[in-house]
Amino acid sequence: MSSIKYCYSSNGFKKNTFEQTFKILSDLKYDGIEIAITEEHFPKLNLLKQTQLLNKLTAEFNLPITNIHVGEPFLLSKKPHFPSIISSEKSERLKKIDLIKESIEFANEINCQNITITSGVLEEG
């Protein structure tokens, strides 16, 4: 038996609900799911509002959440990867840092030990 685990990201299912996504991945025999923080699955970026649902789906479909991905290019603005943790303006940097902090809290609530973040794009000048 192989120790390799196969997981898939919810980012590929933006047009599906979390319930549909978990069912599809379970039916396809995936071993886990990455939860991508997207506006489609987290309206107004309220991560903690989805905690109860994700814990229920994880148990129901025996599909653990293996990673939280906080790198969606247009998550916080229409400019890709902006603001970022390397934005020149402190107030802009703090928007991304606050989202990362909330993602850490969210990960704890859904028993996920891995988070992927992006630093952002270096601004000109």
Side-chain angles (χ1 to χ4, degrees), residues 73-85:
F74 299 99
L75 192 58
L76 297 173
S77 77
K78 293 181 191 256
K79 183 178 175 183
H81 298 291
F82 184 83
S84 72
I85 61 175

Side-chain angles (χ1 to χ4, degrees), residues 43-96:
K44 299 182 183 175
L45 295 180
N46 188 342
L47 309 186
L48 296 174
K49 188 174 182 179
Q50 296 287 26
T51 300
Q52 187 175 11
L53 172 64
L54 290 171
N55 284 332
K56 174 185 159 285
L57 294 172
T58 298
E60 181 180 335
F61 291 101
N62 192 29
L63 200 63
I65 297 170
T66 58
N67 188 54
I68 302 297
H69 187 267
V70 192
E72 179 77 9
F74 299 99
L75 192 58
L76 297 173
S77 77
K78 293 181 191 256
K79 183 178 175 183
H81 298 291
F82 184 83
S84 72
I85 61 175
I86 60 173
S87 292
S88 58
E89 293 291 322
K90 182 178 181 179
S91 62
E92 294 298 321
R93 282 193 310 272
L94 289 176
K95 290 176 187 175
K96 182 65 177 250

